Amino acid sequence: MSQLAIIGGTGLTKLSNFTVSRKEAIDTPYGAPSAELLWGKLGNTDCVFLPRHGEQHQFPPHKVNYRANIWALKSIGIQDVIGVAAVGGLTEKMGPKVICVADQLIDYTYGREHTFYQEPGEGVEHIDFTHPYDANLRQRLIDTANTIGLSVETTGCYGATQGPRLETAAEVQRLIRDGNDLVGMTGMPEAALAKEAGMRYANLSLVVNWGAGLTDEEITMDEIHANLEGGMQHVVNLLGNLQT
Ligand code: HPA
């Protein structure tokens, strides 16, 4: 049984170079996950793949069933989860096409089912979330990048916004003042739910545009798609060579 899961974000709904050996639709107390779970081999890496937004990219960030996704992965014995995300870049080193293994996050999302401790009387554990991303899993990603000669940023704070709209220029300035380097819409509650479920979780972000107002250009889907296409190949290559 594979212990590593990759949750693919925008631009990573299908994995190239992924040999599928099994697929299964898993039911959970929270409903159906975004898609069937796919077991297989990505390059040299045994893993389970789950496209966060669904096979047809039908779930926008605020409609992803994060609890079902994490529950399903936990129920099949997954211990390590890598959440791949396409993000906006906020600080100087985070320009388009940069890949970052984030080390911190700030949560700006709202109205999402964000915990497994939902019902009164069922008890609650207040997880320690000081370090939202697992140090060992992060290091595996960084070591692998070094080994294959891929340049990655090894620290960065991910600001999780509600979406689906992009930010205003003023919101981007606030995100920067708050200390964020990256902005995306799916990093939470995924990371916290994985921690509640007792799994190791790391974020692997690909920058696909500058944050709103940081350049004179309008942010277009064409720009985002162009950066996704090139950048995700590097992300997939990194994941396919992941060191154990
Ligand atoms: N903001 C929020 N989420 C994003 C962005 C952005 O600029 N780019 C890709 N996902």
Side-chain angles (χ1 to χ4, degrees):
M1 182 183 291
S2 176
Q3 298 175 336
L4 170 73
I6 296 168
I7 302 180
T10 299
L12 202 62
T13 299
K14 286 193 173 60
L15 277 179
S16 54
N17 195 20
F18 186 53
T19 317
V20 179
S21 52
R22 181 180 153 207
K23 50 169 124 171
E24 195 177 326
I26 307 266
D27 195 21
T28 83
Y30 305 98
S34 298
E36 289 180 333
L37 301 188
L38 301 178
W39 280 252
K41 202 158 180 150
L42 175 67
N44 299 316
T45 308
D46 285 313
C47 62
V48 168
F49 180 68
L50 174 62
R52 183 186 289 118
H53 297 282
E55 274 172 35
Q56 310 301 325
H57 208 277
Q58 67 269 44
F59 301 113
H62 59 295
K63 291 291 181 191
V64 171
N65 193 338
Y66 295 96
R67 290 195 302 182
N69 287 353
I70 293 297
W71 185 277
L73 295 177
K74 179 73 178 177
S75 74
I76 61 160
I78 294 294
Q79 293 170 328
D80 295 323
V81 180
I82 298 173
V84 178
V87 299
L90 301 178
T91 46
E92 210 177 330
K93 57 183 184 176
M94 299 298 184
K97 293 199 171 75
V98 166
I99 294 170
C100 177
V101 182
D103 68 332
Q104 271 299 331
L105 69 79
I106 300 180
D107 185 12
Y108 302 89
T109 65
Y110 49 88
R112 301 182 181 190
E113 299 290 359
H114 65 289
T115 177
F116 291 117
Y117 300 107
Q118 194 69 10
E119 298 304 325
E122 282 187 355
V124 60
E125 192 193 331
H126 302 284
I127 52 158
D128 180 337
F129 207 43
T130 311
H131 301 290
Y133 303 122
D134 181 77
N136 290 328
L137 193 51
R138 291 185 63 255
Q139 199 55 51
R140 274 172 74 189
L141 286 164
I142 293 164
D143 289 347
T144 305
N146 287 338
T147 303
I148 64 172
L150 179 69
S151 161
V152 295
E153 289 299 329
T154 57
T155 58
C157 182
Y158 176 114
T161 56
Q162 179 71 355
R165 66 168 177 83
L166 298 169
E167 295 69 40
T168 66
E171 285 169 338
V172 159
Q173 289 305 317
R174 181 182 73 151
L175 287 165
I176 294 169
R177 283 197 300 278
D178 282 356
N180 295 288
D181 298 289
L182 307 167
V183 56
M185 301 175 191
T186 55
M188 284 294 282
E190 194 171 274
L193 289 167
K195 195 121 194 198
E196 282 189 357
M199 293 190 286
R200 295 181 283 262
Y201 182 93
N203 166 274
L204 186 59
S205 281
L206 169 67
V207 180
V208 292
N209 58 277
W210 282 112
L214 295 181
T215 70
D216 293 336
E217 313 293 321
E218 198 181 318
I219 303 170
T220 64
M221 288 313 288
D222 283 353
E223 175 198 1
I224 289 180
H225 283 301
N227 288 325
L228 272 174
E229 248 171 55
M232 275 304 168
Q233 287 173 15
H234 294 296
V235 168
V236 169
N237 187 30
L238 171 57
L239 294 170
N241 284 288
L242 195 67
Q243 295 176 356
T244 47

